[in-house]
Structures are given as C-alpha cells and as structure tokens.
Amino acid sequence: MSLLDLRATNLAREHVAHSHGHHQLILATRGATELSIEGNAERVTGSRGCLIPCAHHHEYLGDGNNRTFVLDIPVASLPDLRDASEMERLFDKPRFFGVPPELNRLADSLMQQLEQCPALHSEIAALLLRALYLHLESQPLSGPGGAYAAGRDGRLDMARLDDWIDRHLAEEIRVDCLAAQCALSVGHFHACFRERMGMTPLAYVQQRRLDHARTLVNHSGLSLGQVAALVGFRDQGSFSRAYRRAFEVSPSRERRLSEALAQG
C-alpha cells in the first residue's frame, strides 16, 4: 500500500464485516452508510464522518446512492506525515465526528478533483487528512458517555449533540433542550450554532430526522406512518411533504424505486 491510499467510491447495499491492518477515514459527500465499529453503530453522512483504527472489527451497509471518500493510512506511514504525533492521536480509538458544511464542501470539491486528475491522488489525500486534522484540532474528539457540554472556549461539541438528537428523534426537540446539553444560554447557543453549522438548530434537527427517515424508507419494512412516528413527525402527511421538499421525491415513490432496484 502507498503512503496514503485514497479512493472515491459508492458503498453498495451489501453488508460487509471485516478488519484490516491500516487506519481508515470514511467521509461522505452525499448519501448514507450504516456503520458499526465494535458494536457502536452510527450513520456516515455528509454531516457525520468516521475514523477506524487498524485491527478494529467494523461492519457497514451503504445505501447505494452515496459518494464516499475512503482513505487508508498504513500505520508505518504515520511517522512520515506532517504533524505525525497529532495524526497518530486521531486514531487512538474508533470515533464518529461531526462534519461542518465547510468541510463537506471541501471534500466534495476534492472528490471532483480526484476524479478529474487521478495523478494528484497523493496530494489530494494529504490535503483531505490535513483538513480533517485542523478541523478536529479545534474541537476535542469525543467518545461515548459523559456529560454533554461545550468546550471551555464555547465551541459546540457536535458529536455529542448529534448523539443526543438521534436518541430523541421521536420526541419534540426544542432549542432550549439542545442548549441545555451544551450548558449554554438559548441565545448564545443559537448564535454559536448558526455560525458553526450555517443553519438554525431546528433546521438541523429536521435534516437529521429526514436523513434517518430516508434510511428507514429504503432499508426497512416499516410502514411510512411508522417511519414518520419514529423520526418525530405528527402524521404521515406532514412527513411526506417535508420528505419531498428535502429530497424532491415522495417517500412512497422512493420506496418503490428502491424495491425495483433491489429486484434487479
């Protein structure tokens, strides 16, 4: 394996379970992949990435519509990288992390450059890893458990906030509840959130509701009414309208298309 092995791929609707002898970064620009590391399961989306240290067992199932960066980093190559000791710390344990809009836009741009100029493979891989390091350096990487809070400098811990939101999708989620998870006043939280994510907190919650709903529409046998309830919509009608606005297709039509595609 070369120093850094980067590829842009579509993770198919095929369950894969394995481990490998290199570290791995998974970063999507669109679509979703269900991914579990040592039993800790989350979704890799445009707003959620994943770092997998070598030798850690993981399983994944793509939605077939994703565009995903997979970056393999041989353990022996880490000492040769810029900021080697910091890069090694990125992989001290498995973790999922929040991807802000600016990092997602950069990944999307780099993916296009990789497809147009494969000869720049190594430079693009190094730039992507460096951008991720700089992003995470400004935000402590979080693991499971512990209290929900902002950093001492007021930065939002989006990894923990995402986890709380995802566990309460079926419920009403108010801005004051989100602010409380970060130990901030509602006004300060709202301002910090808009600056960080480029949208209001409730718009972000709606986005996560619909991202989860899309996975259930395409990969479960639940009725659309059940899906709507699980992700926090009052009724199937409001769910369908929001779904169509977000994805430009109704959930019922998307399910039919998904079933047709699965049948070949």
Side-chain angles (χ1 to χ4, degrees), residues 93-94 103 105 130 168 170 184 210 225:
K93 62 183 177 181
L103 182 57
R105 288 192 294 269
R130 176 70 178 167
H168 294 82
L184 296 174
L210 291 168

Side-chain angles (χ1 to χ4, degrees), residues 110-125:
L110 292 176
M111 186 174 289
Q112 295 178 40
Q113 291 183 42
L114 180 63
E115 293 171 340
Q116 295 170 7
C117 307
L120 296 178
H121 163 276
S122 297
E123 291 81 359
I124 293 172

Side-chain angles (χ1 to χ4, degrees), residues 92-261:
D92 62 357
K93 62 183 177 181
R95 63 195 81 198
F96 295 87
F97 57 88
V99 178
E102 59 269 22
L103 182 57
N104 179 266
R105 288 192 294 269
L106 175 63
D108 185 53
S109 175
L110 292 176
M111 186 174 289
Q112 295 178 40
Q113 291 183 42
L114 180 63
E115 293 171 340
Q116 295 170 7
C117 307
L120 296 178
H121 163 276
S122 297
E123 291 81 359
I124 293 172
L127 180 57
L128 182 65
L129 189 59
R130 176 70 178 167
L132 176 65
Y133 160 65
L134 291 174
H135 163 59
L136 295 180
E137 182 188 44
S138 67
Q139 174 188 350
L141 292 170
S142 59
Y148 290 83
R152 281 177 291 182
D153 58 358
R155 290 191 180 92
L156 301 180
D157 186 342
M158 289 304 302
R160 292 187 181 277
L161 196 57
D162 284 345
D163 178 69
W164 189 90
I165 292 170
D166 291 349
R167 289 187 291 109
H168 294 82
L169 283 179
E171 308 165 19
E172 179 186 6
I173 298 177
R174 302 190 310 273
V175 176
D176 61 322
C177 296
L178 298 174
Q181 304 310 310
C182 298
L184 296 174
S185 69
V186 172
H188 188 195
F189 170 77
H190 197 280
C192 289
F193 196 98
R194 288 207 64 160
E195 180 179 0
R196 170 75 182 277
M197 303 304 295
M199 65 179 74
T200 67
L202 292 184
Y204 183 79
V205 169
Q206 182 84 328
Q207 175 181 294
R208 292 193 75 80
R209 291 189 195 280
L210 291 168
D211 284 343
H212 281 275
R214 195 170 205 182
T215 296
L216 293 172
V217 166
N218 285 293
H219 302 292
S220 80
L222 297 172
S223 70
L224 296 182
Q226 290 171 320
V227 171
L230 282 173
V231 299
F233 283 87
R234 297 188 310 274
D235 53 67
Q236 186 175 331
S238 60
F239 165 63
S240 294
R241 289 190 293 274
Y243 196 100
R244 183 186 289 274
R245 284 195 299 270
F247 304 123
E248 298 183 346
V249 62
S250 69
S252 56
R253 176 166 175 75
E254 180 149 73
R255 173 165 282 180
R256 289 195 298 272
L257 293 172
S258 178
E259 290 171 348
L261 184 61

